[in-house]
Every structure is written in C-alpha cells, then in structure tokens.
Amino acid sequence: MPNQEFVGLVNMLEATADAALGELTAASALLRQGGLSSDPQRARQTAQRSLRLLTMLAEKTRGNLDMTEADLLSGAIAHLRAQMGN
C-alpha cells in the first residue's frame, strides 16, 4: 500500500510545476494574481525546481518504494519532462 504522505508530496510537486506552466486553470489564475505567470522565466524556474526535486526524490528513494509509489514518481517526472521539452 502506498504511503499517503509520499503520494501527496509527489502530487504537490507535480501540481506546482503544472501550475507554473499554466496547466492548472485555478492555480494558474492564483499565480497570475500573485505575479508569477507574468514572468515566464520565473514560472519556468519554478517548474524546473519541482522537476529537480522529484528527480532527487527518485534517486534517494530508489529501491525503497513499492510499485505504486515508483510508478507515480516516474510518471510525474516523465510528464513534467515532456511538458518542459526535456
């Protein structure tokens, strides 16, 4: 059974990157209101930071995750890499 805190962490980091890239409508509206979306460079840096954190998490937890957690993490990384053209 996946650890719910781990699942929440991965989902939060992925959602942060998606919001910065304009993928989440409600979050994007809040980001625009806060001034983040008005600076594409800053938004991309936010997304890149989340991707780096997810990648580091994958490296540090390699061999210690169940299949569901590992699939969730690798899927989030693949999704963000595709969105960012990495």
Side-chain angles (χ1 to χ4, degrees):
M1 170 150 288
N3 180 298
Q4 293 306 306
E5 285 79 20
F6 180 83
V7 170
L9 175 62
V10 171
N11 287 336
M12 179 193 65
L13 289 169
E14 185 176 16
T16 298
D18 278 341
L21 294 171
E23 292 293 320
L24 299 176
T25 308
S28 294
L30 290 174
L31 290 172
R32 274 193 299 278
Q33 187 177 23
L36 180 58
S37 292
S38 64
D39 184 355
Q41 173 96 11
R42 184 171 173 203
R44 184 156 180 85
Q45 287 173 345
T46 298
Q48 288 172 331
R49 186 176 320 115
S50 290
L51 179 57
R52 283 194 308 272
L53 287 170
L54 287 166
T55 302
M56 181 267 311
L57 190 60
E59 292 169 4
K60 296 292 186 180
T61 59
R62 188 168 287 125
N64 294 313
L65 302 176
D66 69 22
M67 287 294 277
T68 303
E69 293 166 339
D71 288 346
L72 175 70
L73 185 53
S74 64
I77 292 169
H79 164 78
L80 292 177
R81 283 183 176 157
Q83 291 297 315
M84 297 175 64
N86 291 355

